[in-house]
Amino acid sequence: MTHSTSPSRAAVVTGASGGIGRAVAERLAADGMAVAAHYSGNAAKADEAVAAITANGGQAIAVGGDIADETAMAALFDATTERFGGVDVVVNTAGIMPLAPIAETDLETFDRIQRVNVRGTFVVNQLAARQVRSGGAIINFSTSITRLQNPTYGAYAASKGAVEAMTLILARELRGRDITVNTVAPGPTATPLFFEGKSQQAIDHIASLNPMERLGTPADVAEVAAFLAGPARWVNGQVIYVNGGAA
């Protein structure tokens, strides 16, 4: 039994300083969850997310840390439990996406992508598997690129293929715990990370590739995360593509 001043449910959202992460944090808060908004380098953006949540009457804290560092992530979970009484939902949106053809990818860059996207997800999932309460949800993030197979995404897609495999296995390892484990795989989404280095022509072309003929929004993606975090108790061990029908 949590303390009477604690909210009924609490969520950890990694990468909450980014476009999708922040939208997820705000959406879960709108559903009445207290949120620990994690950031890696951008404390100001995480603070903005917390301010937006509290301005709307929600509860949130910002906690920094290297996603792939088990000590920093343990501190994130501890801070959440200390403040809100426990952890019910974990949404792991943190990730990086340097692009280059496989033949030209610097191996140091490859290692960095795997460290953040694969090890980072593993560290967070390990803590989540140990601490998330019954009735909870663990939500990882992949990408529709695993289906679309676009050139230059080799190292990134490899990391997300690993995330998908990890998710499906963890869902089965948590048998009997009443905890769902799923992956959300967005298509092109209108975030600063997406727009970086792209011409308007390229953006328009990418937006035209799905039958809805637009880019996804962070809110579109957050809606699916909220579904998995809340009412979707019979969706488990799945990869859900959120891309307007691109593939």
Side-chain angles (χ1 to χ4, degrees), residues 47-75:
D47 287 342
E48 281 176 24
V50 168
I53 289 168
T54 53
N56 284 319
Q59 296 185 60
I61 54 171
V63 186
D66 174 356
I67 192 79
D69 183 278
E70 63 274 29
T71 307
M73 290 303 96

Side-chain angles (χ1 to χ4, degrees), residues 19-20 97 99 141-150 153 156 184-196 198-199 201-222 240-247:
I20 289 174
M97 192 177 67
L99 304 180
F141 267 69
S142 179
T143 170
S144 290
I145 293 295
T146 54
R147 246 188 213 182
L148 300 171
Q149 290 120 22
N150 294 9
Y153 286 84
Y156 176 70
V184 176
T189 305
T191 65
L193 183 68
F194 170 79
F195 290 123
E196 205 173 290
K198 291 185 179 75
S199 66
Q201 188 180 1
I203 291 164
D204 292 343
H205 171 69
I206 292 167
S208 74
L209 294 177
N210 70 74
M212 310 300 280
E213 298 187 322
R214 68 172 176 86
L215 295 174
T217 67
D220 289 327
V221 180
I240 300 184
Y241 291 86
V242 186
N243 59 29

